[in-house]
Amino acid sequence: NIIVDAIQKSISLDKIPNAFLFTGIRGVGKTTIARILAKSLNCSNKKKNDCLKNKCDNCTQITESRHIDVLEKDAASKTGVDDVRDLIEFSRYGPTCSRFKIFIIDEVHMLSKQAFNALLKTLEEPPEYLKFIFATTEVNKIPITVLSRCQRFDLMRISFDELLNFLKKVISTEKKNINENILKLIVKLSEGSVRDALSLLDRILLNDNNSKEMDLKS
């Protein structure tokens, strides 16, 4: 994956940008990748590269959204300049127990013009310990002055075959029996969004009251 390779290289060479921006349609993994990136930046066991088996305290706390140095905000509900000023004030102090203080801002395009202006100065001259990770579905609504200070990664829609194989793994793990034609229809309707596909699958599984294979006639 080009995006993963680029990020891994920037971390290994210690040439980490001040701000990352992940763009793409709903449900393709922008916020998930943002959290994984936060873990990669603050992981205590980087050389081991085995976080799936042996999570450090930093990674565990980020997973559980309780890390004191990783602040996650949803700009859809926190759009005002006062919200950004609170964030900037919080950024004046260095990290407590990790290498970086990280701000993850989801749906960043929802910030007001005044909020973007307040954020811009910190983006221009951030302290070395501060990193921003932005996610958005509408990159065209972000001011050019902000975009130019981010390393941008565009997440593509998940391909039909990849999403189909993923759903097959899900139903296998859940020990469910669903006809492949149903899965193909789910993939088609989800239009490349993993979240939408899982939501549709959940709704179908809720109606599964017996052990026989579900098909389009069920």
Side-chain angles (χ1 to χ4, degrees):
N1 186 297
I2 296 174
I3 293 176
V4 173
D5 290 343
I7 293 174
Q8 284 180 333
K9 190 169 184 179
S10 70
I11 294 174
S12 64
L13 296 175
D14 202 23
K15 294 183 177 180
I16 303 167
N18 298 323
F20 297 82
L21 173 64
F22 296 104
T23 75
I25 66 164
R26 75 220 174 272
V28 291
K30 299 182 295 298
T31 308
T32 299
I33 290 179
R35 290 173 184 145
I36 293 172
L37 175 55
K39 294 177 191 177
S40 299
L41 293 175
N42 276 346
C43 183
S44 303
N45 303 322
K46 290 180 182 176
K47 293 183 179 180
K48 292 184 178 180
N49 197 28
D50 64 347
C51 284
L52 289 176
K53 298 178 181 177
N54 184 25
K55 284 185 180 179
C56 68
D57 287 341
N58 284 334
C59 290
T60 298
Q61 289 173 23
I62 293 171
T63 298
E64 297 172 356
S65 300
R66 58 182 179 87
H67 197 290
I68 195 169
D69 294 324
V70 179
L71 185 64
E72 188 171 337
K73 281 186 174 288
D74 182 0
S77 57
K78 300 285 186 179
T79 63
V81 64
D82 289 340
D83 297 308
V84 171
R85 283 175 179 158
D86 288 343
L87 183 149
I88 292 170
E89 181 63 30
F90 187 62
S91 74
R92 296 185 191 280
Y93 309 97
T96 302
C97 58
S98 51
R99 183 182 179 189
F100 296 111
K101 180 164 281 189
I102 300 171
F103 294 139
I104 299 173
I105 304 181
D106 199 10
E107 299 299 352
V108 68
H109 67 274
M110 297 287 286
L111 290 178
S112 66
K113 183 178 179 180
Q114 292 82 1
F116 272 124
N117 288 337
L119 185 63
L120 189 56
K121 187 175 182 181
T122 305
L123 277 175
E124 288 173 340
E125 300 176 358
E128 290 185 2
Y129 59 77
L130 182 63
K131 301 297 177 186
F132 289 93
I133 307 176
F134 302 132
T136 181
T137 52
E138 299 188 51
V139 69
N140 57 304
K141 292 185 178 180
I142 299 176
I144 295 297
T145 49
V146 174
L147 280 177
S148 65
R149 289 167 174 81
C150 300
Q151 188 170 94
R152 174 177 167 178
F153 297 97
D154 294 278
L155 305 185
M156 300 294 103
R157 296 172 187 268
I158 310 302
S159 72
F160 188 96
D161 289 339
E162 284 179 321
L163 197 44
L164 179 61
N165 288 332
F166 173 70
L167 292 184
K168 287 180 179 178
K169 289 180 181 178
V170 171
I171 61 171
S172 175
T173 301
E174 296 293 325
K175 295 181 171 57
K176 298 295 183 178
N177 197 14
I178 299 179
N179 186 280
E180 186 171 315
N181 287 331
I182 291 181
L183 298 181
K184 287 180 177 179
L185 182 59
I186 291 173
V187 173
K188 184 178 180 180
L189 292 172
S190 65
E191 299 180 332
S193 168
V194 177
R195 186 193 305 144
D196 287 2
L198 288 174
S199 178
L200 287 168
L201 181 62
D202 283 342
R203 285 161 61 184
I204 289 172
L205 292 178
L206 286 173
N207 295 320
D208 180 20
N209 296 319
N210 50 56
S211 59
K212 72 175 184 179
E213 182 181 73
M214 295 180 68
D215 57 31
L216 291 173
K217 296 179 182 179
S218 302

